[in-house]
Amino acid sequence: MIDYAEPLIKAEEKLKKIYQACIEKRPCDAMELCLEAIVDLRAVYSAIHHDVERKDPNPVGIWNLKDLA
Protein backbone atom coordinates (compact mmCIF):
# COMPACT_ATOMS: atom_id res chain seq x y z
CA MET A 1 0.00 0.00 0.00
CA ILE A 2 1.25 3.45 -0.84
CA ASP A 3 0.66 5.84 2.02
CA TYR A 4 0.02 9.51 1.33
CA ALA A 5 -0.36 10.60 4.96
CA GLU A 6 3.33 11.00 5.82
CA PRO A 7 4.28 13.28 2.90
CA LEU A 8 1.05 15.23 3.38
CA ILE A 9 1.92 15.90 7.02
CA LYS A 10 5.44 16.94 5.99
CA ALA A 11 4.03 19.32 3.37
CA GLU A 12 1.69 20.86 5.93
CA GLU A 13 4.58 21.45 8.34
CA LYS A 14 6.63 23.04 5.57
CA LEU A 15 3.74 25.35 4.67
CA LYS A 16 3.69 26.61 8.25
CA LYS A 17 7.45 27.18 8.10
CA ILE A 18 7.08 29.00 4.75
CA TYR A 19 4.52 31.32 6.31
CA GLN A 20 6.80 31.99 9.28
CA ALA A 21 9.80 32.63 7.02
CA CYS A 22 7.76 35.13 5.00
CA ILE A 23 6.65 36.96 8.14
CA GLU A 24 10.26 37.09 9.33
CA LYS A 25 11.33 38.44 5.91
CA ARG A 26 13.53 35.46 5.04
CA PRO A 27 12.61 34.99 1.37
CA CYS A 28 15.52 32.65 0.54
CA ASP A 29 14.47 30.25 3.30
CA ALA A 30 10.83 30.49 2.20
CA MET A 31 11.73 29.67 -1.43
CA GLU A 32 13.80 26.66 -0.38
CA LEU A 33 10.96 25.40 1.80
CA CYS A 34 8.56 25.87 -1.13
CA LEU A 35 10.67 23.55 -3.25
CA GLU A 36 10.72 20.96 -0.47
CA ALA A 37 6.94 21.23 -0.06
CA ILE A 38 6.49 20.73 -3.80
CA VAL A 39 8.44 17.47 -3.56
CA ASP A 40 6.23 16.29 -0.70
CA LEU A 41 3.04 17.27 -2.53
CA ARG A 42 4.25 15.45 -5.64
CA ALA A 43 4.67 12.31 -3.51
CA VAL A 44 1.11 12.75 -2.21
CA TYR A 45 -0.22 13.20 -5.75
CA SER A 46 1.62 10.09 -6.95
CA ALA A 47 0.26 8.01 -4.08
CA ILE A 48 -3.32 9.14 -4.71
CA HIS A 49 -2.94 8.64 -8.46
CA HIS A 50 -1.55 5.13 -7.93
CA ASP A 51 -4.47 4.27 -5.64
CA VAL A 52 -7.01 5.52 -8.17
CA GLU A 53 -5.41 3.58 -11.02
CA ARG A 54 -5.24 0.45 -8.90
CA LYS A 55 -8.95 0.64 -8.18
CA ASP A 56 -9.97 1.61 -11.73
CA PRO A 57 -7.30 1.53 -14.45
CA ASN A 58 -9.36 3.81 -16.70
CA PRO A 59 -11.09 6.35 -14.45
CA VAL A 60 -13.07 9.27 -15.77
CA GLY A 61 -12.21 12.50 -14.07
CA ILE A 62 -9.19 14.62 -13.43
CA TRP A 63 -6.82 11.75 -14.20
CA ASN A 64 -8.25 10.99 -17.63
CA LEU A 65 -9.75 14.09 -19.19
CA LYS A 66 -9.91 12.68 -22.74
CA ASP A 67 -12.80 10.40 -21.68
CA LEU A 68 -14.92 13.40 -20.72
CA ALA A 69 -15.36 14.56 -24.32
Side-chain angles (χ1 to χ4, degrees):
M1 178 179 147
I2 297 176
D3 186 18
Y4 59 85
E6 183 180 347
L8 190 57
I9 291 168
K10 288 180 182 179
E12 181 184 18
E13 289 171 359
K14 285 188 179 87
L15 289 174
K16 291 175 185 177
K17 290 178 182 179
I18 291 165
Y19 176 75
Q20 192 62 38
C22 289
I23 288 179
E24 294 172 0
K25 298 186 182 193
R26 296 182 290 123
C28 293
D29 292 340
M31 289 188 300
E32 184 176 334
L33 287 165
C34 284
L35 292 175
E36 293 173 13
I38 288 169
V39 170
D40 291 330
L41 288 173
R42 178 67 177 127
V44 173
Y45 177 86
S46 294
I48 294 169
H49 188 268
H50 180 276
D51 191 47
V52 168
E53 283 194 345
R54 185 176 50 84
K55 290 178 182 171
D56 184 2
N58 191 19
V60 174
I62 63 172
W63 289 277
N64 197 354
L65 295 175
K66 67 179 184 266
D67 287 344
L68 293 177

